[in-house]
Amino acid sequence: MRRFYSSEVPEETRESVVYYLDYFYGVCPIFHPATLVRRVVNGEVDPLLIDAMRASAARVISKHTGKVIDVDKIISNVQERLLLGLDSPSIDYVQAVVLITSLFGGECKYVSYNSLSCLSASLVTRLGWHTVDLDYDNTDKNMSWNNWLLLELKRRTFWVVYENDSYQSMLSDRPMTLSEMRLFVSAPGSDYTWDDVRMPQTEKWPTKFNMAMSKEEILRNGWVLHTFIESCNLTALISRVNTFLWDIKIGTSSKLPADRNAPNIKYLKLSPLALPSTDESIKSLFQYPEFEELHRLICEWRKDLIRAEDMKNMCEPGLHFSKFGSLKHRLFIMRIRYFSMYIYAVPVMHCLHFSNRPSYFNSRSKLQDILPVPASPIASKCAEEVVEDNIIRQILEAAFTDRLNDGLLAYDIIEESWQICVDIVHDLVGHFNRNSDIPLDRYDQVTPFCLLTSMTVLIRQIRLCRQKISQANADINADALHKIRTELSNSGASLRCLWTKLQDLGSTWRVEGIEQLLRTMQIEEVANAADLLSGLAL
């Protein structure tokens, strides 16, 4: 550590490593901190990887040091050099691709995110990292530390690639590049000493991941790895959501064999989906057992997470990099991850339930007509609203595919699914309030997308409430009208909260595109109208 803080290591390199690990290690734990520091001191790390770290942490570095860093220039430079390493990719090279891929997701550059997700998936397949545990039960118990380290790095890097591939398939409505039927990669198996920068190697190896560990033991020892595996569990669920929705669209049901997840990802907490449904006329996706099962699995995954607010007094950020990976710091990393993963469930649930609408599942005749523009139940749309919706659709088409775009704008979502979408947004606001002490620069790159899907729900909910109030007559029940007004008021307050959160995140993540979209949706005017109408007497 003394050499790391000496003139042997350039200040820019040291900054890149320290800030990247401090702010992004939890979401992307693909390094062994102590080994990374040693390799940096010895000049063994590919400069491409150091620059990828700097690009990822640039905004955090600028905020804390006051330095002006040209992020776009660094990214452009890294992209050019990525082309030079394709023929003989090293582990440093693959990890650099992974870091830049995640960065593009956080920067809302979804076209580049898609391209690099495919590249990283192709690389890990080409290098055989998707089958490193083909003979998992016969792992060499006498392997050297260096061989164990290399195996763990491959596993960790693979699973981050798998996560990126899963999220991108959800955004772009495409099959995953990495087919789960061909994956033979176990969970990383290292113990909690892996994360401690003061430990040159873990206490034991090789070890296997213990999914049955209690929450008390996880917290007592600060098992950061468990947060990573929970994230992988959600990734597998996203893969199933993508498969189910596509099968529904092309007129089939999800035909998943009972052993689909064995033996390749058998450690994940997933039970087989229900048997396929009959090909009856679809009135609601709830008539499919698979749909209800996916909803239940997402709810259970979220419920089983350790609550971030319960860890508030158990942890603290590292005051100095030399303390990175200490028990209290590991707990701090874990709290941030549990906080973020609770947020992840929101857009996943939205993507599932946004598709429970006639405009999605009632047009199956031609693939080229797969997603018609949804019909709104609001009978009288003025000319301005029609123009506004067309502009919004044009903005969305630059980032996402039709399935998600139409879901973000649809008004014909089945009532039960719509209420689930609204409830989870209100709960999200409560989650932010319960963890208001977490600094904005600790929010990760999925948060802006979560805020986008949530605010489109609130905007539509406010419009629907306004319509019900404007069309109310003397026959309407007073309690029903009060309920509508209360929901309108709550939705307006939630919308303002999330809008403020998104604007504040601009200091850490590039959210101009999402902000432009929501301004086009007249978000401030909608919130003002909600405040006004909720207090009016008819």
Side-chain angles (χ1 to χ4, degrees), residues 30-177:
I30 59 177
F31 305 105
H32 178 237
T35 298
L36 177 65
V37 169
R38 176 184 57 77
R39 292 182 65 223
V40 168
V41 170
N42 294 334
E44 299 170 357
V45 179
D46 189 333
L48 179 67
L49 179 56
I50 297 296
D51 286 346
M53 287 183 172
R54 189 163 188 80
S56 300
R59 288 188 170 79
V60 176
I61 295 172
S62 295
K63 178 178 179 180
H64 289 275
T65 66
K67 294 181 179 179
V68 178
I69 301 175
D70 190 338
V71 183
D72 292 328
K73 184 178 179 181
I74 299 175
I75 292 175
S76 178
N77 180 268
V78 171
Q79 282 182 287
E80 291 175 5
R81 290 151 62 198
L82 285 178
L83 298 175
L84 303 177
L86 282 172
D87 292 336
S88 53
S90 64
I91 191 167
D92 282 0
Y93 174 85
V94 178
Q95 290 178 331
V97 174
V98 170
L99 264 57
I100 294 299
T101 302
S102 299
L103 174 61
F104 280 148
E107 298 280 300
C108 303
K109 296 180 178 179
Y110 294 112
V111 175
S112 298
Y113 181 48
N114 184 33
S115 299
L116 287 178
S117 293
C118 294
L119 172 61
S120 55
S122 174
L123 285 170
V124 295
T125 304
R126 174 180 153 196
L127 294 170
W129 295 3
H130 65 307
T131 57
V132 293
D133 290 306
L134 196 59
D135 195 20
Y136 180 62
D137 292 331
N138 295 315
T139 301
D140 181 8
K141 294 179 174 56
N142 297 312
M143 69 169 59
S144 68
W145 160 252
N146 287 334
N147 287 341
W148 169 248
L149 171 67
L150 186 61
L151 177 59
E152 279 289 279
L153 293 178
K154 289 178 179 179
R155 286 171 174 165
R156 288 166 176 262
T157 304
F158 171 84
W159 284 113
V160 174
V161 170
Y162 185 72
E163 285 184 327
N164 284 335
D165 187 34
S166 173
Y167 280 110
Q168 184 53 35
S169 67
M170 180 174 69
L171 296 176
S172 60
D173 193 20
R174 63 162 173 79
M176 288 183 63
T177 305

Side-chain angles (χ1 to χ4, degrees), residues 98-298:
V98 170
L99 264 57
I100 294 299
T101 302
S102 299
L103 174 61
F104 280 148
E107 298 280 300
C108 303
K109 296 180 178 179
Y110 294 112
V111 175
S112 298
Y113 181 48
N114 184 33
S115 299
L116 287 178
S117 293
C118 294
L119 172 61
S120 55
S122 174
L123 285 170
V124 295
T125 304
R126 174 180 153 196
L127 294 170
W129 295 3
H130 65 307
T131 57
V132 293
D133 290 306
L134 196 59
D135 195 20
Y136 180 62
D137 292 331
N138 295 315
T139 301
D140 181 8
K141 294 179 174 56
N142 297 312
M143 69 169 59
S144 68
W145 160 252
N146 287 334
N147 287 341
W148 169 248
L149 171 67
L150 186 61
L151 177 59
E152 279 289 279
L153 293 178
K154 289 178 179 179
R155 286 171 174 165
R156 288 166 176 262
T157 304
F158 171 84
W159 284 113
V160 174
V161 170
Y162 185 72
E163 285 184 327
N164 284 335
D165 187 34
S166 173
Y167 280 110
Q168 184 53 35
S169 67
M170 180 174 69
L171 296 176
S172 60
D173 193 20
R174 63 162 173 79
M176 288 183 63
T177 305
L178 296 167
S179 170
E180 64 180 26
M181 291 296 290
R182 298 184 179 184
L183 306 184
F184 295 86
V185 188
S186 174
S190 50
D191 62 34
Y192 57 84
T193 59
W194 172 281
D195 308 301
D196 195 331
V197 76
R198 299 165 296 183
M199 299 288 288
Q201 57 194 41
T202 56
E203 292 182 346
K204 298 177 182 179
W205 75 85
T207 52
K208 293 184 178 181
F209 179 70
N210 179 15
M211 199 71 211
M213 192 177 295
S214 68
K215 291 182 179 180
E216 291 75 20
E217 188 176 356
I218 291 171
L219 292 174
R220 184 168 61 250
N221 293 306
W223 283 88
V224 175
L225 181 59
H226 273 261
T227 65
F228 185 45
I229 302 307
E230 288 291 5
S231 183
C232 292
N233 278 311
L234 180 62
T235 299
L237 276 174
I238 293 171
S239 172
R240 289 185 169 201
V241 169
N242 293 335
T243 300
F244 170 76
L245 292 179
W246 182 255
D247 286 348
I248 289 293
K249 193 62 210 182
I250 62 176
T252 64
S253 49
S254 297
K255 298 176 175 62
L256 298 180
D259 62 349
R260 181 177 178 128
N261 292 290
N264 46 356
I265 49 177
K266 60 186 177 183
Y267 70 90
L268 294 177
K269 298 185 297 185
L270 290 178
S271 55
L273 289 179
L275 294 175
S277 306
T278 58
D279 289 331
E280 57 188 289
S281 175
I282 305 177
K283 296 183 176 63
S284 166
L285 293 184
F286 276 107
Q287 70 195 59
Y288 284 81
E290 301 96 317
F291 183 79
E292 291 201 25
E293 179 71 356
L294 286 167
H295 171 81
R296 184 188 67 80
L297 288 171
I298 296 170

Side-chain angles (χ1 to χ4, degrees), residues 459-475:
I459 288 171
R460 283 175 284 177
Q461 179 73 343
I462 288 170
R463 287 177 174 173
L464 291 171
C465 289
R466 287 167 57 184
Q467 180 196 34
K468 290 176 182 177
I469 291 175
S470 66
Q471 294 177 353
N473 53 45
D475 297 328

Side-chain angles (χ1 to χ4, degrees), residues 345-534:
V346 176
V348 177
M349 191 70 83
H350 283 162
C351 286
L352 177 65
H353 285 277
F354 282 174
S355 298
N356 193 11
R357 51 189 167 86
S359 55
Y360 178 72
F361 52 68
N362 278 350
S363 299
R364 296 194 266 174
S365 56
K366 297 179 182 179
L367 281 178
Q368 60 265 33
D369 297 328
I370 227 160
L371 287 169
V373 176
S376 169
I378 298 179
S380 55
K381 264 195 171 184
C382 65
E384 289 79 4
E385 287 176 323
V386 173
V387 172
E388 177 186 319
D389 282 352
N390 288 335
I391 294 173
I392 293 168
R393 189 171 296 278
Q394 289 173 12
I395 297 173
L396 285 169
E397 285 173 353
F400 310 122
T401 56
D402 287 342
R403 185 186 79 189
L404 180 55
N405 294 343
D406 287 341
L408 290 169
L409 298 173
Y411 282 90
D412 64 334
I413 296 170
I414 300 300
E415 180 61 31
E416 187 175 355
S417 279
W418 179 248
Q419 193 57 51
I420 288 170
C421 292
V422 172
D423 290 344
I424 200 170
V425 173
H426 289 316
D427 179 76
L428 174 67
V429 174
H431 177 64
F432 283 133
N433 292 335
R434 292 190 299 271
N435 295 278
S436 59
D437 61 306
I438 294 180
L440 284 171
D441 57 10
R442 295 289 178 176
Y443 287 35
D444 73 16
Q445 61 266 40
V446 179
T447 308
F449 177 64
C450 170
L451 293 175
L452 169 64
T453 66
S454 298
M455 283 190 276
T456 65
V457 168
L458 292 173
I459 288 171
R460 283 175 284 177
Q461 179 73 343
I462 288 170
R463 287 177 174 173
L464 291 171
C465 289
R466 287 167 57 184
Q467 180 196 34
K468 290 176 182 177
I469 291 175
S470 66
Q471 294 177 353
N473 53 45
D475 297 328
I476 191 169
N477 182 283
D479 290 339
L481 184 58
H482 175 72
K483 185 176 180 180
I484 295 170
R485 289 188 181 282
T486 300
E487 174 58 29
L488 181 61
S489 177
N490 292 340
S491 295
S494 294
L495 184 60
R496 288 186 182 281
C497 172
L498 299 185
W499 177 234
T500 301
K501 188 77 67 179
L502 180 69
Q503 291 176 307
D504 292 342
L505 278 174
S507 62
T508 303
W509 295 107
R510 183 172 292 174
V511 297
E512 293 93 334
I514 290 178
E515 196 171 327
Q516 175 196 1
L517 169 63
L518 292 167
R519 287 191 186 279
T520 305
M521 290 180 164
Q522 299 179 335
I523 188 167
E524 291 172 326
E525 289 81 355
V526 170
N528 288 335
D531 289 344
L532 178 64
L533 284 173
S534 65

